[in-house]
Amino acid sequence: MMLNRGHQFNLPMYESHIALLLLIFSIFFKTKFFYGTYPFAPFIDFFWIFEPGVGYRILLGGITFLCCLGIVFRKMNRIACFILGLIILWIILSNQLFYSTNNLLLACLFILLGVYRGNDLIFRIQLSILYFGSSISKILETDWRNGTYFNNFITQVYDLSLINILLDFISVFWVALFFSWFVIGIEISLCVLVLFRRFTFASRLIALVFHGGMLIISGGELSVPYFYILMCAFLLLQSKIEGKVNEDAQSWFDFFIDYFKTLRIHFLKLWKGTYFQNNTSYIYIYYFFALIYIIYFRFIN
């Protein structure tokens, strides 16, 4: 079946919301990708051809700005996501200082949103590769296997007051060893679970508790950007029982007006425990969460 022009170049409403959430995050937490000067230290010598001058920065900034407009106003946002993902990847490759797992994941998600055609398998594979690589790298590290890494993490890097309570009863060696293999076990489990649609809710819950727990234990000092991006990625996973955001809503305004008109129904669903059976519910909650998240970590903390 042929897709009309709008569907060819625009993401469905639900995925458009995820793209907007990722863009909001990028604007507040990844400002270096959008404006400002930065050093040029490419991974590949080829990139020295494009050593940034004024024209280079204006061109890159202009294209980025147009992509942002496309995502915000939902105009050709599929193409906008793809190009924005390539730009972020380009900036990472042209500057070793910008490389990090969360920056690379952000670029990958934008690119995958650009090629998305209704099958969430591409997002599942991306998350599986992410957790597979993370768990394998830990297993291959002696310091992770014997608990040395986590021992240093507990005693030197962060003041983990919640974990330190355990140290009054258990040796730091055993606490560090337990948490080292606990983290590895969780990552291996998620590597497998995310591939199966029937385990969507379970994988979301495990990821939320796991990565959210890191934030709580470290007092918000660990995995702030990573947590936000990963939760967006998990929202892109669909299960059989979940509905879609109303595709008849042609604008963000219509979407939120529809929510406030039926606020009583939403509270009743929450009370009855049926609220989380629809993807729309996750989006409403995540918008609220993103607002609190940005206010606290960007402006207060």
Side-chain angles (χ1 to χ4, degrees), residues 43-278:
F43 281 96
I44 306 170
D45 290 339
F46 166 78
F47 280 85
W48 282 107
I49 300 173
F50 306 96
E51 186 172 0
V54 175
Y56 173 89
R57 295 184 189 280
I58 291 175
L59 177 62
L60 205 61
I63 296 173
T64 301
F65 180 71
L66 290 176
C67 291
C68 293
L69 289 180
I71 295 172
V72 169
F73 293 103
R74 202 173 173 234
K75 299 297 182 183
M76 301 180 69
N77 62 353
R78 190 190 300 277
I79 296 175
C81 285
F82 185 75
I83 295 175
L84 184 58
L86 290 179
I87 288 175
I88 294 175
L89 184 61
W90 178 276
I91 293 174
I92 293 171
L93 290 175
S94 65
N95 190 336
Q96 299 177 44
L97 300 176
F98 282 2
Y99 174 78
S100 70
T101 303
N102 64 76
N103 286 344
L104 191 58
L105 179 60
L106 181 66
C108 289
L109 287 179
F110 274 123
I111 291 172
L112 291 176
L113 281 167
V115 300
Y116 173 75
R117 289 296 185 274
N119 189 340
D120 66 346
L121 183 61
I122 55 175
F123 303 116
R124 293 182 181 278
I125 292 174
Q126 171 63 69
L127 284 171
S128 182
I129 291 173
L130 177 73
Y131 284 113
F132 175 77
S134 181
S135 60
I136 290 299
S137 67
K138 289 178 175 62
I139 291 173
L140 295 178
E141 285 285 339
T142 304
D143 286 350
W144 266 97
R145 294 199 305 271
N146 61 22
T148 302
Y149 178 89
F150 222 97
N151 190 332
N152 180 65
F153 188 83
I154 295 172
T155 58
Q156 303 294 329
V157 181
Y158 293 113
D159 179 21
L160 305 181
S161 54
L162 292 178
I163 291 183
N164 288 338
I165 295 174
L166 295 174
L167 301 184
D168 295 333
F169 307 98
I170 307 173
S171 166
V172 65
F173 169 79
W174 293 111
V175 172
L177 192 64
F178 168 78
F179 277 104
S180 294
W181 283 100
F182 174 76
V183 169
I184 293 171
I186 290 292
E187 290 184 338
I188 291 174
S189 300
L190 285 171
C191 168
V192 177
L193 290 177
V194 294
L195 292 173
F196 300 95
R197 184 164 289 186
R198 69 177 66 181
F199 298 125
T200 298
F201 181 79
S203 58
R204 279 177 177 169
L205 182 60
I206 292 171
L208 179 62
V209 173
F210 176 56
H211 294 287
M214 289 185 187
L215 279 178
I216 294 171
I217 290 173
S218 64
E221 296 185 45
L222 181 67
S223 300
V224 172
Y226 198 44
F227 180 75
Y228 187 107
I229 298 170
L230 269 176
M231 291 304 103
C232 283
F234 274 97
L235 285 178
L236 287 166
L237 307 185
Q238 303 162 14
S239 68
K240 294 179 180 178
I241 65 170
E242 290 168 349
K244 299 288 286 182
V245 169
N246 179 16
E247 294 297 337
D248 295 329
Q250 296 301 311
S251 68
W252 311 119
F253 179 78
D254 294 334
F255 177 82
F256 288 110
I257 287 298
D258 177 66
Y259 172 71
F260 286 113
K261 282 182 178 178
T262 58
L263 198 58
R264 184 179 64 85
I265 297 174
H266 286 277
F267 276 112
L268 287 175
K269 286 182 178 180
L270 186 62
W271 179 260
K272 293 177 181 178
T274 59
Y275 194 69
F276 297 98
Q277 292 182 354
N278 192 289

Side-chain angles (χ1 to χ4, degrees), residues 262-297:
T262 58
L263 198 58
R264 184 179 64 85
I265 297 174
H266 286 277
F267 276 112
L268 287 175
K269 286 182 178 180
L270 186 62
W271 179 260
K272 293 177 181 178
T274 59
Y275 194 69
F276 297 98
Q277 292 182 354
N278 192 289
N279 263 332
T280 313
S281 307
Y282 291 98
I283 289 295
Y284 292 134
I285 291 172
Y286 205 76
Y287 268 118
F288 175 76
F289 161 78
L291 177 63
I292 301 301
Y293 191 87
I294 288 171
I295 290 174
Y296 179 75
F297 288 110

